[in-house]
Amino acid sequence: MIKKLFLLLVFFPLWLTAQNNKFANDTVKVNDFSDAKYHFNVKQIIIPSALIAYGVIGLHNDDIKKLNTDIRDEVLKNGHKENRIDDVTRFVPMLSVYALNLVGVEGEHNFGDRTIILTTSLLVAFTSVRSIKKLTNVQRPDITSYNSFPSGHTATVFAGAEFLFQEYKQKSIWYGISGYVVATGTGLMRIYNNRHWLTDVAAGAGIGILSTKIAYWVYPFLKNKVFKGGNTESKVTAMAMPFYNGEQFGGSVVVRF
């Protein structure tokens, strides 16, 4: 069952290709920084800020703490069985961007530029999650450690979901929706596996979304000042992407063939 669910999550965005290709606009913007995603706007941070605020308030609010506990107790009462599919699904949205490009569905950026954006997003999320975990020192619901808040898995998957949305929203809104479905499911699995409280997941989601938005805001600077506006498609053939899941440091490597 888990294998079938994993295959569905991986190939669902590819299935959308057949459904939406005939409506797609194949023009890819290159170095056009007039798009709203490259510029800070208060409206862009309302949802991620609300999610983070809920998580932070929940650290000290008795009603929210009780809701956390009630959810945990309900999960355990209904015959909780831990599985680790969320260790895999956290990477599905971001890797879908590369998979879609591999089968010929072009996103907003070429390989080098989108990897710069994704790496920036993951670095922001990694730094934020690690720092906040040390500051808050919240015990996990399974009482194994004191690094529960916020959820690193959830931050990673929501960063990827926002990345998928931004790269393919001009093609079809359904690509972005599929990414957020996977992200939401991953966050819920963190609760089901008794690894995180609801507030951990909410804050992680907000951090992930905001991290990707920040990555797009700083991308024009990186492109023009760090990479000097060069052709990153021809210069970048591989990129290491760090991650932090709340327990281990690690990384993944994307290679352009």
Side-chain angles (χ1 to χ4, degrees):
M1 178 64 184
I2 291 177
K3 289 182 178 179
K4 291 180 180 179
L5 178 58
F6 171 61
L7 291 173
L8 175 64
L9 293 174
V10 171
F11 290 107
F12 179 59
L14 302 182
W15 174 82
L16 289 173
T17 301
Q19 307 300 316
N20 296 292
N21 243 3
K22 58 184 177 181
F23 303 109
N25 177 5
D26 291 330
T27 302
V28 179
K29 298 178 182 178
V30 179
N31 295 340
D32 178 9
F33 299 139
S34 62
D35 194 292
K37 65 176 170 286
Y38 299 120
H39 305 280
F40 172 81
N41 187 302
V42 174
K43 291 181 180 179
Q44 297 180 37
I45 67 172
I46 292 176
I47 292 177
S49 296
L51 290 168
I52 295 170
Y54 175 80
V56 171
I57 292 171
L59 294 175
H60 304 288
N61 183 280
D62 290 337
D63 290 333
I64 297 178
K65 283 183 177 180
K66 184 178 184 304
L67 177 60
N68 278 343
T69 304
D70 289 345
I71 292 173
R72 191 271 310 273
D73 292 345
E74 191 67 24
V75 167
L76 296 178
K77 183 175 70 175
N78 287 313
H80 160 260
K81 275 188 176 182
E82 184 177 354
N83 68 70
R84 303 308 297 268
I85 192 172
D86 45 1
D87 287 339
V88 177
T89 57
R90 58 180 161 159
F91 299 118
V92 168
M94 68 179 74
L95 293 180
S96 294
V97 173
Y98 294 90
L100 286 165
N101 275 265
L102 190 63
V103 298
V105 186
E106 295 181 332
E108 284 287 299
H109 298 89
N110 62 37
F111 177 90
D113 291 338
R114 64 178 174 265
T115 305
I116 291 170
I117 293 168
L118 178 58
T119 301
T120 303
S121 170
L122 293 178
L123 285 172
V124 173
F126 159 77
T127 304
S128 301
V129 168
R130 186 185 179 200
S131 300
I132 297 172
K133 281 179 179 292
K134 286 189 173 183
L135 286 173
T136 54
N137 201 36
V138 175
Q139 188 178 43
R140 289 182 183 270
D142 62 1
I143 63 173
T144 57
S145 59
Y146 284 84
N147 60 352
S148 189
F149 183 88
S151 168
H153 279 65
T154 310
T156 299
V157 72
F158 272 88
E162 179 65 15
F163 177 56
L164 176 62
F165 171 72
Q166 293 296 343
E167 288 297 303
Y168 283 97
K169 64 182 180 181
Q170 299 300 328
K171 295 286 186 179
S172 171
I173 191 66
W174 289 103
Y175 291 118
I177 290 175
S178 67
Y180 271 99
V181 168
V182 174
T184 301
T186 301
L188 292 176
M189 285 304 301
R190 297 306 287 164
I191 297 173
Y192 175 79
N193 284 332
N194 203 30
R195 296 294 290 157
H196 283 289
W197 309 101
L198 174 62
T199 43
D200 302 340
V201 169
I207 290 171
I209 296 169
L210 187 58
S211 295
T212 296
K213 290 188 179 297
I214 290 172
Y216 279 97
W217 296 338
V218 303
Y219 166 68
F221 171 81
L222 294 174
K223 178 70 173 178
N224 291 327
K225 302 299 183 182
V226 178
F227 294 93
K228 307 297 183 184
N231 183 3
T232 51
E233 179 67 19
S234 61
K235 292 179 181 179
V236 180
T237 57
M239 181 69 72
M241 295 181 293
F243 71 82
Y244 177 65
N245 65 15
E247 298 172 344
Q248 306 101 7
F249 297 96
S252 57
V253 177
V254 176
V255 181
R256 176 175 175 260
F257 296 96

